[in-house]
Amino acid sequence: MHSRRPVSESASVFPHAFSGKSSGYFIDVGEYSTLVAQTSSLAAPLVIEKVEELPGGGQAAVGAALDKLAGARRAGAYRHSVIGIYPERRFLRRASLDMKRTKEPGYLDELLTTQFRAEPEKMILALMAGADGQDVDPNNPNQKEVLFCGGYSEDFAAAQAALLAQGVFPERLELGSVAMMGAMGNVLALQSSKSPTLVLEIGRETTNCYIISANGVDLARPIPHGINSMVPVAQKELGLKDEEAAAKLLFSNTFDFTGMGPALVKRLLKELQSSIGFFEVQTGQSIGQLVCSVIPQNCAWLSNTLSASLGVGIIKLELEPWMQQQGIRLAKGVATDGVPESWIGLLGLMGRYRINTDSHETK
């Protein structure tokens, strides 16, 4: 594997160039909305003092979200933050290593290229244990079941530039998906979940599919069908003049798509059934429930349609017990109606995980 810096809950792609107060911000830059939390500290135990959610994702929304939460910053000042991002080309794959070949030079690059059609020379990747997310040394892997996490170097560089230009200094820049998976596994364990859970990040172009249990990540793969693949179907079903009108309707809260839901998700459903079938044959386990950790705000029908079509229930995530375990408290007036499930990515950035401090950068 080429020289790279791990991108995970235990690693940052930025140097700690500035000193500052211990208080700061946690920011989950989702595809459909940006969540910002002002906290008493950048490491748990901490208190969440304020939370702001703005529609729209992407790094360009971060500065505006912080200004809305904390007021305009003074000239030249940087806001120290822990940030989770979801690059379109993020790379998360579960793999089984051939332990007889792990010491061969170039073996991991060969696996990435042949099995996943990846371009490792252009990417920043971390190698993690599939069961507990601990770092695995790519020079001497001691785990057969591993998770490759990362993405393209240019995507992380672009995110860094966009954030710094807005006066945001990333103490850590993480893949939001990795933070979510860490929290999800912990939450499922606390809820004594006995069967694997299908976790979906339904983006505009791609749906990232994970199967997660209390014992770790059992499957991770992208599916090339997202919300945009449903637009032409909606246009046809509704007899609209163009796809733009159909897209606006899909993201609005003015029409109930439940009735035509099965037609809209047909292509996505086929891929999901294939992944689930492969998993169940390989492991002898059955998927027990699903949760959509990334989904447009007005698309609750989507979770219900997939649940009914796959014949599995929708799990209710109990985040408060996990937060208590992690030392994460809410200030008075924050989330008075209960902690929304959509906060799992944001909260995952705050989790206290056991960390292997070796960077394991290799050439």
Side-chain angles (χ1 to χ4, degrees):
M1 294 170 70
H2 294 259
S3 179
R4 63 201 67 185
R5 192 182 300 270
V7 180
S8 71
E9 69 266 16
S10 63
S12 167
V13 294
F14 301 102
H16 290 246
F18 306 124
S19 61
K21 295 185 296 182
S22 59
S23 60
Y25 305 90
F26 287 84
I27 308 171
D28 187 53
V29 187
E31 189 163 353
Y32 305 111
S33 66
T34 299
L35 270 171
V36 182
Q38 180 176 313
T39 61
S40 62
S41 171
L42 281 174
L46 57 80
V47 177
I48 299 176
E49 299 168 343
K50 298 179 184 177
V51 176
E52 188 71 44
E53 181 171 9
L54 293 181
Q59 284 79 52
V62 171
L66 283 172
D67 287 345
K68 187 171 182 179
L69 186 75
R73 65 186 177 92
R74 68 179 186 275
Y78 282 86
R79 291 186 168 115
H80 291 242
S81 307
V82 174
I83 303 172
I85 61 174
Y86 300 78
E88 177 66 31
R89 298 188 294 176
R90 61 190 180 277
F91 186 86
L92 298 109
R93 303 291 191 281
R94 172 74 183 252
S96 296
L97 302 183
D98 182 347
M99 301 307 290
K100 295 179 181 179
R101 297 193 57 197
T102 53
K103 295 187 183 299
E104 293 180 15
Y107 165 65
L108 293 182
D109 277 358
E110 178 188 329
L111 185 150
L112 287 163
T113 303
T114 58
Q115 186 169 333
F116 301 118
R117 299 180 183 178
E119 300 175 289
E121 71 281 359
K122 299 180 181 180
M123 302 172 76
I124 297 174
L125 294 170
L127 190 63
M128 302 163 65
D132 58 15
Q134 293 301 297
D135 292 342
V136 174
D137 185 351
N139 285 324
N140 186 28
N142 58 357
Q143 303 276 342
K144 181 178 181 180
E145 302 301 325
V146 297
L147 193 65
F148 289 98
C149 300
Y152 282 80
S153 302
E154 63 183 14
D155 292 345
F156 292 114
Q160 172 179 357
L163 292 165
L164 291 174
Q166 297 174 82
V168 181
F169 180 75
E171 291 284 345
R172 298 201 318 270
L173 182 69
E174 306 183 10
L175 282 178
S177 300
V178 175
M180 176 278 296
M181 287 191 288
M184 185 72 71
N186 285 180
V187 169
L188 292 173
L190 273 180
Q191 292 184 208
S192 300
S193 175
K194 303 300 183 185
S195 54
T197 299
L198 177 66
V199 181
L200 301 176
E201 295 176 336
I202 304 177
R204 288 180 173 84
E205 298 291 344
T206 304
T207 294
N208 281 278
C209 166
Y210 315 106
I211 295 178
I212 302 177
S213 69
N215 297 318
V217 179
D218 297 310
L219 181 145
R221 64 161 294 211
I223 295 174
H225 304 302
I227 296 292
N228 287 352
S229 70
M230 305 174 195
V231 172
V233 183
Q235 179 195 359
K236 182 179 179 181
E237 292 283 334
L238 295 170
L240 299 173
K241 63 179 181 178
D242 56 39
E243 292 188 1
E244 183 179 355
K248 287 182 179 178
L249 201 56
L250 269 174
F251 283 96
S252 74
N253 198 27
T254 59
F255 188 86
D256 185 359
F257 283 93
T258 302
M260 68 178 68
L264 296 178
V265 303
K266 185 176 180 180
R267 296 171 70 186
L268 173 59
L269 184 64
K270 183 178 179 180
E271 293 282 353
L272 289 175
Q273 288 170 329
S274 176
S275 295
I276 292 171
F278 176 80
F279 167 78
E280 291 182 344
V281 168
Q282 291 291 312
T283 66
Q285 301 181 74
S286 296
I287 300 298
Q289 56 272 320
L290 70 80
V291 62
C292 295
S293 61
V294 173
I295 192 172
Q297 188 175 14
N298 297 319
C299 291
W301 63 267
L302 194 47
S303 296
N304 296 330
T305 298
L306 291 171
S307 170
S309 300
L310 293 169
V312 297
I314 299 175
I315 189 170
K316 173 66 177 175
L317 299 177
E318 299 170 6
L319 299 180
E320 287 88 345
W322 176 79
M323 292 171 61
Q324 184 177 2
Q325 182 194 66
Q326 295 289 318
I328 301 170
R329 296 189 295 113
L330 298 174
K332 186 177 180 180
V334 177
T336 54
D337 295 330
V339 178
E341 291 187 359
S342 59
W343 286 16
I344 189 167
L346 177 70
L347 295 171
L349 296 171
M350 305 176 189
R352 297 182 295 183
Y353 301 99
R354 188 177 49 160
I355 292 174
N356 183 342
T357 55
D358 294 335
S359 68
H360 300 319
E361 284 195 346
T362 62
K363 278 194 177 181

